[in-house]
Amino acid sequence: MPTDNSEHTGPKLSSGAQKPGKFVELVKNILATAIVVEMLGMWVFVLKIIDQTKKETGVPKFSLFLLAVGLSLIGFGFAKWLAPRMPGISGTKALKYMVGLLLAAYALYPTYENFRGDDDTSLATIRFAGTNAIADIKAVAPRITVLQHGPGTYRMEVTQRDARRLKRKGYRLQLIQNPEQMRKVKKIDRLPAGAPNVMVQEMIRAVSTDSLLNTIRRLERFGTRVDRSAQADSAAELLSMEFKRYGLEVESQTFGEVPPDYLDVQVVDENTLFVSSFQGQLFCSTNGGRTWIYRPSGLAPLARLAFVNSHTGYALSLFNGVFATSNGGQTWRELQPDSVWGFSDVRCLSEREALLVGKGGRILRTEDGGNRWKRVYVPTDKNLQRIDSPDGRNIWIVGDAGVLLHSTDVGKTWQQVNPGISHNLFDIQFHDRQRGIVLGESATVLNTTDGGRSWKILRTDLHEARPAEMFFTSVLHGWFTDARYPGLLVETNDGGRHWKEAQAGLGTTKKLSGRNRNTILACGLQGALFISKDRGTTWQPLSSKLETIGRLRSRNICATLRGEGQSDGEIILVGHYDSVHRNAPGANDNASGTAAVLEAARICSQYKFDLTLRFLAAAAEERGLVGSGVYAREAKKSGKNILAVINADMIGYPVLGDSKRIAISTGKEWTPLMDSTLLFNRRYSLGFILDAHTELMGGSDHVPFIRQGYSAIDLSEGTAMEIWGGFDPFYHKPLDTSDKLDGNLLRNAAQLMILIAAEAAKPIARANKQVREN
């Protein structure tokens, strides 16, 4: 008989009872497949991580590969050891699950990081305190690219991944990401990152060192090109002829009498007044301003005057020279107080004693009329800004980071006073030995009524103001000028608690001075010069009484390459062709910049652009930015849409010995044009070392355009303070000849100028014409 085994096998499972088993098996199969995929994916990421780690750390790839294999073996061993100790799960299954878990965990974070915008680069600004901060940042995020740095701030290109790393370490990172900020950065930078324009690359490669040097030598053969001289006129004719040879439209902008820019004024007593101009002129009145005497100083522009009486005084030039006079400014002798540049103020205490202050806590003192200077110890290394003395013996000095110094022995010893604030302090004025006032950034005002033993902080509502100079006629009534807006005078009648915009009619006033608080002089740009005899209640203009620059007939030469697009936008390339005086050939200052403009015209004329390019050879720069000032004012008046101005001034002598280093600067505010220049340098892999900075005091042809509201940038061999401080030994000297110039630096600067202009103007086609080199 057949045997029934059903009772031994147990009840059969219904079809409904088998579904969960199939579902579980499906999940297990999916998991097993996922494990295999994860294993393959993990090794892809391992290899990528190994490659990136080698770039960042330099560790050999083979060592990193062995480390990855070792970690995997440890995971396998741990799973195998754990499997028998987990009841109900076989060793094989446990091994699969554990390996999958370990591999997933091992690959999860790298996967996450690598797919979270690793190549998404942004501009960022990071702020910090501490001298080793950039080294610390590089240790956290080695791939960041620093584009520009300033005091306590770095601007950089940073990936999203490095940005997250830095934020996790507590750095205050400000990414430029919102649409408005990005529009500002992209104002000139119209091409996507990493996509150089082929035609722009051709223009850069076409720059010829020989062509640049030949132009400089041709200009040099005319001799010194002092404005209004026959040599300057010959240089203008040469430039006009060359521009026409390139097929450009050329116009000669002739201009006549131009009002001077006044730099400083001083009221010595009721009758004796002094005024200095940007053109290097000095004017003196000995009858309270009724008549004036012109005293040509023969010096660089005198930025600060310090007379103790009508005949004895000192002066600081714009180029950091220190000078003394003993005959009321009729003659001057140059002093050599220190080989280190950076003086910001001078004070004449008596006919024999004087003080100089400047960068790095530097105070120098003389007791013999300036023949010998001795450095005085002070308990700070911060930059010092201004000196004041109520009686000639008690002396006060203010500086950066809340520095306030006091001396009671004519400046021989100093002690630091705590004003209770860490703001940068710009100016100080004492009414008498007990009452004084200090002006700091954000229009912060400090007041003392007990000789400086205690200071009261007066909070004002002018947080956006940027004070430059201050003058009080009494304890309650005074003014300060705003560094951003020449002519904006802010006035107080209650000792600095409340401020209002002062009366109109004082032009572009930047500086006020008075000795007895009754007679006050005010001076500024474009001929602004006024006098008040009633403590500032009423003012009379003085500029018509002073000798002006003269009936000069100078001319700018401007060549135009018309844009082919619909936009009326213009890009200006500018360099001045005059030299400073009859003993300076001016090969570097500024035949070099003029040659760069001419080279740009030669190369760009072989292409068609969307926007209009204008090549401006400016006159009378050395007389106070006159030619560029005339052009910029006329452009503003006629409503020209100038998008960018690129100025080249002194691009031939590497002041720090590196021909790859180029100083780029703008006005007092950072601009998108500066950002774009930094990005262009990276995009085209030029490798230039761009020392980018803002300038509180501009001294070249980009400045008039900034004053008219245009975006402008200056290219130079070094910063203004480096050049003025003697790092270029041939500056404004008879030895400024072409044999001193570095051809590599000339070519690099000209390439950068063309790059900025061409990127902004957008080349659209080749013009199918060739122009030979100069």
Side-chain angles (χ1 to χ4, degrees):
M1 280 182 76
T3 304
D4 185 1
N5 294 323
S6 60
E7 61 182 14
H8 300 288
T9 59
K12 293 183 179 179
L13 294 174
S14 65
S15 59
Q18 292 176 355
K19 287 182 181 179
K22 291 182 179 180
F23 178 75
V24 171
E25 287 299 324
L26 179 61
V27 171
K28 289 181 179 180
N29 290 333
I30 292 173
L31 180 59
T33 303
I35 290 172
V36 174
V37 173
E38 188 64 45
M39 289 177 65
L40 295 174
M42 182 274 292
W43 280 106
V44 172
F45 290 120
V46 164
L47 293 175
K48 186 174 181 180
I49 293 166
I50 287 173
D51 186 64
Q52 188 60 45
T53 306
K54 182 185 184 308
K55 290 180 182 177
E56 296 182 1
T57 65
V59 178
K61 283 187 178 181
F62 183 70
S63 300
L64 295 170
F65 181 79
L66 289 180
L67 177 63
V69 172
L71 290 173
S72 298
L73 292 175
I74 291 172
F76 275 93
F78 177 72
K80 200 166 185 179
W81 172 83
L82 187 64
R85 292 162 176 76
M86 297 180 66
I89 301 179
S90 69
T92 303
K93 290 182 179 179
L95 186 62
K96 285 183 179 180
Y97 298 151
M98 187 57 64
V99 169
L101 179 63
L102 290 174
L103 293 181
Y106 186 66
L108 178 62
Y109 185 72
T111 304
Y112 173 72
E113 283 291 334
N114 277 278
F115 282 104
R116 273 193 66 193
D118 182 39
D119 297 323
D120 186 7
T121 302
S122 297
L123 280 178
T125 298
I126 188 168
R127 291 183 171 82
F128 53 81
T131 56
N132 297 322
I134 191 60
D136 298 337
I137 292 172
K138 285 280 191 181
V140 176
R143 292 173 299 172
I144 63 170
T145 301
V146 176
L147 299 175
Q148 178 265 344
H149 62 84
T153 302
Y154 281 81
R155 187 170 292 225
M156 61 187 68
E157 284 183 334
V158 60
T159 64
Q160 293 292 326
R161 182 166 64 175
D162 284 341
R164 293 192 298 273
R165 288 177 176 175
L166 290 168
K167 287 182 178 179
R168 284 197 296 269
K169 292 293 184 179
Y171 288 98
R172 295 168 56 193
L173 203 67
Q174 298 178 353
L175 288 177
I176 302 177
Q177 288 183 314
N178 70 56
E180 180 61 28
Q181 289 176 315
M182 290 305 295
R183 275 195 296 273
K184 289 180 180 179
V185 173
K186 297 291 183 181
K187 183 177 180 181
I188 302 298
D189 179 17
R190 290 184 170 88
L191 297 177
N197 184 287
V198 174
M199 286 183 284
V200 175
Q201 287 178 317
E202 292 174 355
M203 296 179 213
I204 295 171
R205 288 194 294 267
V207 175
S208 167
T209 302
D210 290 340
S211 178
L212 290 163
L213 286 171
N214 286 338
T215 298
I216 293 170
R217 294 186 187 110
R218 293 173 73 185
L219 290 170
E220 191 179 34
R221 292 191 195 105
F222 293 124
T224 54
R225 301 171 303 282
V226 180
D227 191 57
R228 291 183 293 164
S229 67
Q231 296 95 323
D233 200 52
S234 297
E237 285 296 329
L238 170 67
L239 295 169
S240 178
M241 178 183 66
E242 289 298 302
F243 284 137
K244 289 178 181 177
R245 187 165 69 88
Y246 303 150
L248 304 178
E249 303 175 22
V250 181
E251 61 177 322
S252 180
Q253 183 187 37
T254 304
F255 51 89
E257 186 174 320
V258 177
D261 292 339
Y262 296 111
L263 290 178
D264 200 13
V265 287
Q266 187 177 4
V267 178
V268 179
D269 53 44
E270 194 71 26
N271 293 314
T272 308
L273 316 174
F274 287 95
V275 177
S276 67
S277 77
F278 197 102
Q279 288 69 33
Q281 299 166 317
L282 182 70
F283 302 92
C284 175
S285 174
T286 57
N287 56 13
R290 291 190 296 276
T291 60
W292 292 83
I293 303 170
Y294 169 46
R295 292 178 174 171
S297 65
L299 310 172
L302 301 179
R304 299 202 71 81
L305 302 173
F307 282 84
V308 71
N309 52 42
S310 60
H311 55 271
T312 301
Y314 293 79
L316 285 180
S317 79
L318 270 181
F319 310 138
N320 211 53
V322 183
F323 303 90
T325 181
S326 56
N327 55 14
Q330 296 181 47
T331 59
W332 295 81
R333 72 182 193 278
E334 185 171 4
L335 309 177
Q336 301 292 333
D338 201 325
S339 60
V340 179
W341 49 269
F343 297 117
S344 57
D345 201 8
V346 59
R347 174 57 63 103
C348 192
L349 304 173
S350 68
E351 291 197 352
R352 306 291 292 172
E353 296 175 300
L355 288 176
L356 279 167
V357 300
K359 298 180 68 173
R362 186 173 298 272
I363 299 180
L364 301 180
R365 189 174 183 276
T366 182
E367 296 179 347
D368 60 359
N371 296 318
R372 292 185 301 273
W373 294 82
K374 180 180 179 181
R375 184 169 180 180
V376 182
Y377 169 77
V378 292
T380 183
D381 60 355
K382 303 300 182 184
N383 296 337
L384 305 179
Q385 301 296 344
R386 292 291 178 266
I387 314 170
D388 193 50
S389 175
D391 54 13
R393 186 170 185 84
N394 281 278
I395 306 171
W396 293 85
I397 296 175
V398 294
D400 292 352
V403 168
L404 183 60
L405 302 175
H406 183 211
S407 173
T408 58
D409 55 5
V410 202
K412 296 177 181 177
T413 60
W414 295 86
Q415 64 181 16
Q416 189 163 353
V417 178
N418 183 11
I421 197 169
S422 60
H423 286 50
N424 292 335
L425 306 179
F426 300 133
D427 210 348
I428 183 169
Q429 183 179 334
F430 269 78
H431 310 291
D432 51 46
R433 292 186 61 180
Q434 298 299 316
R435 299 174 298 175
I437 194 163
V438 169
L439 184 65
E441 63 183 345
S442 301
T444 301
V445 177
L446 306 177
N447 182 276
T448 183
T449 57
D450 56 7
R453 288 187 294 274
S454 63
W455 293 84
K456 183 178 180 181
I457 303 173
L458 305 179
R459 301 295 182 184
T460 70
D461 55 356
L462 299 173
H463 304 296
E464 299 301 320
R466 296 186 61 182
E469 299 280 352
M470 171 183 68
F471 181 74
F472 275 75
T473 58
S474 67
V475 176
L476 298 177
H477 183 225
W479 302 267
F480 77 74
T481 60
D482 194 301
R484 298 170 301 172
Y485 308 109
L488 176 60
L489 277 177
V490 184
E491 185 177 21
T492 182
N493 289 303
D494 57 7
R497 291 176 176 82
H498 300 90
W499 297 83
K500 64 179 180 179
E501 189 170 336
Q503 66 178 25
L506 289 183
T508 53
T509 294
K510 295 184 66 177
K511 179 74 182 291
L512 298 101
S513 173
R515 174 58 67 91
N516 57 14
R517 311 302 199 268
N518 287 319
T519 301
I520 308 170
L521 283 175
C523 73
L525 307 178
Q526 301 173 22
L529 185 65
F530 302 88
I531 188 170
S532 174
K533 295 284 189 175
D534 53 10
R535 296 181 172 233
T537 302
T538 59
W539 297 86
Q540 292 81 42
L542 282 178
S543 57
S544 60
K545 295 185 178 181
L546 272 66
E547 181 178 278
T548 63
I549 292 176
R551 300 278 178 184
L552 62 89
R553 277 284 179 248
S554 300
R555 56 173 173 159
N556 296 325
I557 304 298
C558 184
T560 301
L561 179 60
R562 297 286 176 186
E564 303 281 339
Q566 300 300 315
S567 172
D568 63 347
E570 298 181 2
I571 311 299
I572 310 292
L573 295 85
V574 59
H576 73 88
Y577 65 89
D578 61 314
S579 57
V580 64
H581 52 69
R582 299 187 186 279
N583 294 324
N588 192 26
D589 187 15
N590 183 40
S592 64
T594 308
V597 173
L598 204 61
E599 183 73 352
R602 178 183 74 84
I603 294 170
C604 293
S605 65
Q606 302 173 51
Y607 295 83
K608 297 179 181 180
F609 293 85
D610 181 37
L611 303 182
T612 294
L613 283 167
R614 296 193 190 275
F615 307 91
L616 175 63
E621 188 269 356
E622 301 291 359
R623 298 177 67 86
L625 315 179
V626 179
S628 55
V630 169
Y631 187 94
R633 286 192 293 272
E634 287 297 320
K636 189 68 174 180
K637 185 178 178 180
S638 60
K640 286 188 177 180
N641 182 23
I642 299 176
L643 299 180
V645 179
I646 307 103
N647 177 56
D649 193 352
M650 298 181 64
I651 56 171
Y653 183 84
V655 294
L656 298 186
D658 190 345
S659 62
K660 286 282 188 180
R661 177 182 182 262
I662 302 171
I664 62 173
S665 64
T666 185
K668 296 165 188 169
E669 304 290 342
W670 191 269
T671 65
L673 183 56
M674 294 283 280
D675 279 325
S676 298
T677 302
L678 298 169
L679 290 171
F680 295 156
N681 181 44
R682 293 275 296 156
R683 174 180 302 166
Y684 287 85
S685 302
L686 296 178
F688 299 154
I689 303 168
L690 300 183
D691 189 340
H693 56 281
T694 56
E695 286 282 2
L696 294 179
M697 182 186 298
S700 194
D701 287 311
H702 63 299
V703 174
F705 290 93
I706 293 174
R707 289 175 183 166
Q708 298 301 325
Y710 297 121
S711 182
I713 191 173
D714 177 59
L715 312 182
S716 184
E717 64 192 26
T719 66
M721 294 309 295
E722 287 169 349
I723 295 170
W724 295 342
F727 284 77
D728 184 340
F730 312 114
Y731 173 60
H732 283 184
K733 291 193 170 61
L735 293 175
D736 181 11
T737 51
S738 56
D739 59 301
K740 311 299 190 309
L741 305 184
D742 184 303
N744 291 326
L745 177 59
L746 283 169
R747 186 171 189 269
N748 293 340
Q751 284 180 323
L752 185 61
M753 177 182 237
I754 292 172
L755 169 59
I756 302 168
E759 275 272 13
K762 298 187 296 185
I764 56 179
R766 296 170 183 83
N768 296 321
K769 66 175 181 177
Q770 295 292 324
V771 181
R772 65 176 178 84
E773 296 180 4
N774 295 320

